[in-house]
Amino acid sequence: MNSDHQRAWQNDALAEIFRAIAQSETLCARLIFKGGRILHHRLGGEARQSYDIDAALTQAFVDMFPARDAQQQAIHAELMIALTRCFQRRDPVRYELRDVRVELQPRDSHPLGWNAFKVRIRLVDSTLQRGETSPTLVIDLSAPESLGPLAIADLDVDGRQVVAYTLERIAGEKLRAFLSTLPTHLAKIAKPGAAVRAKDLYDVARITMAKPLADVAFWDAVAEEFVRACASRLVDCTGIASFAERLEVTQAAYEGDPTIPKDIPFGDAWSAVREIVAHFEVRKVVPTSR
């Protein structure tokens, strides 16, 4: 399976897994979906593909299962039920569940334990050629976060409703996520170096194409969610200087990432970030520190 085939396969298989989860009332009550896959659903049209599923645990779930091993067992049990049931209902049956592992993230993957679990799923696909092996599929689960009144809303997934981040929250969180991979924040929380999240700049620029800065109400809501997201993860922002830290590294990562489409050049993405941060400064939500 070459790289293009692998990415297309991952995208299709993850879409089926997302449908399976959407059919589980229990999982839908325990997870709030976010990330690139939700951005694609919210915006529609062509988008940067996402090769995992991102979700946050709900506070209600954590309160019900305060111990991490109990959370792990509960998630594993419900995923096994949801995936097996969904796959077996298809006619013809394409996927068979080979393995589900819900891994407790080692503490050094995030010093404060905010990443919670990594779910790894292996499938058998009847459409693959003999000898072809399929990649492991990943669901990243994070700890609950503080959410504002406009942070979440229902999202339709093939006639089923899941709770997912709104565009406002996605924009705010992606800006926060980018800052969280820069040296200043990594030094603050004593986390080893991480790859800069250049893809978040692309996603934010794409949001500005659907929601121009002239939509003041929308970007005011983004500003509120950005502040909440930063507070939840102890991320500081002095203004555009924070985003510009090691800008040459960010540009190289952006332009060298094969998963980032070429329709938005780095210069345009960076201009979008500058305009957003200028809006935040006018609204006096930055600088902010925790």
Side-chain angles (χ1 to χ4, degrees):
M1 188 182 293
N2 62 36
S3 59
D4 289 341
H5 185 194
Q6 177 173 305
R7 289 171 185 157
W9 186 91
Q10 285 177 288
N11 190 55
D12 290 345
L14 284 167
E16 186 69 0
I17 289 171
F18 194 24
R19 294 185 195 102
I21 294 172
Q23 293 169 15
S24 167
E25 291 185 7
T26 301
L27 287 173
C28 288
R30 295 176 176 178
L31 301 176
I32 300 174
F33 294 93
K34 59 180 184 175
R37 191 160 294 270
I38 299 306
L39 176 61
H40 176 73
H41 278 270
R42 294 292 189 201
L43 286 181
E46 295 298 319
R48 178 181 66 81
Q49 295 296 339
S50 179
Y51 300 106
D52 62 4
I53 295 173
D54 293 293
L57 304 178
T58 64
Q59 189 61 53
F61 172 66
V62 171
D63 292 342
M64 183 183 300
F65 298 95
R68 292 290 292 276
D69 59 346
Q71 296 171 17
Q72 181 184 30
Q73 292 167 17
I75 292 167
H76 182 270
E78 292 301 328
L79 276 173
M80 290 290 292
I81 293 169
L83 296 176
T84 301
R85 180 172 55 201
C86 179
F87 296 161
Q88 290 181 350
R89 285 176 176 172
R90 298 298 189 193
D91 186 14
V93 172
R94 174 178 177 180
Y95 298 113
E96 177 185 340
L97 192 58
R98 175 182 292 175
D99 184 43
V100 175
R101 286 177 288 149
V102 181
E103 300 174 352
L104 286 165
Q105 294 282 43
R107 188 166 180 80
D108 61 2
S109 65
H110 197 292
L112 300 178
W114 286 327
N115 46 342
F117 302 100
K118 187 178 288 291
V119 181
R120 301 185 189 275
I121 300 170
R122 295 296 307 274
L123 302 180
V124 176
D125 182 352
S126 64
T127 68
L128 294 181
Q129 299 295 319
R130 183 181 297 274
E132 281 191 303
T133 58
S134 58
T136 299
L137 301 162
V138 173
I139 303 175
D140 277 317
L141 300 179
S142 60
E145 290 201 53
S146 173
L147 301 172
L150 297 178
I152 58 175
D154 287 347
L155 177 70
D156 181 83
V157 180
D158 290 349
R160 300 296 184 111
Q161 300 298 308
V162 302
V163 178
Y165 279 11
T166 59
L167 274 181
E168 292 91 336
R169 177 68 187 198
I170 292 171
E173 183 159 296
K174 283 190 169 292
L175 291 164
R176 187 280 308 277
F178 172 75
L179 291 177
S180 73
T181 60
L182 298 182
T184 294
H185 180 70
L186 296 177
K188 176 180 178 177
I189 64 171
K191 182 179 179 181
V196 64
R197 288 179 57 107
K199 62 184 180 180
D200 290 324
L201 301 189
Y202 175 88
D203 291 339
V204 168
R206 187 162 176 262
I207 292 172
T208 64
M209 296 170 67
K211 296 286 186 179
L213 270 293
D215 189 341
V216 174
F218 176 85
W219 288 101
D220 281 352
V222 173
E224 180 180 341
E225 291 305 325
F226 173 71
V227 171
R228 284 180 179 270
C230 287
S232 288
R233 297 299 189 251
L234 304 180
V235 174
D236 301 332
C237 180
T238 63
I240 195 61
S242 291
F243 288 88
E245 186 177 8
R246 296 186 69 192
L247 187 60
E248 71 284 356
V249 174
T250 298
Q251 180 172 357
Y254 187 101
E255 294 174 344
D257 189 336
T259 70
I260 297 177
K262 305 304 180 185
D263 58 322
I264 302 178
F266 175 77
D268 292 351
W270 179 242
S271 293
V273 171
R274 291 182 65 90
E275 291 177 7
I276 293 166
V277 176
H279 181 86
F280 289 176
E281 290 171 339
V282 169
R283 290 297 187 266
K284 302 187 185 304
V285 300
V286 293
T288 181
S289 63
R290 299 290 170 181

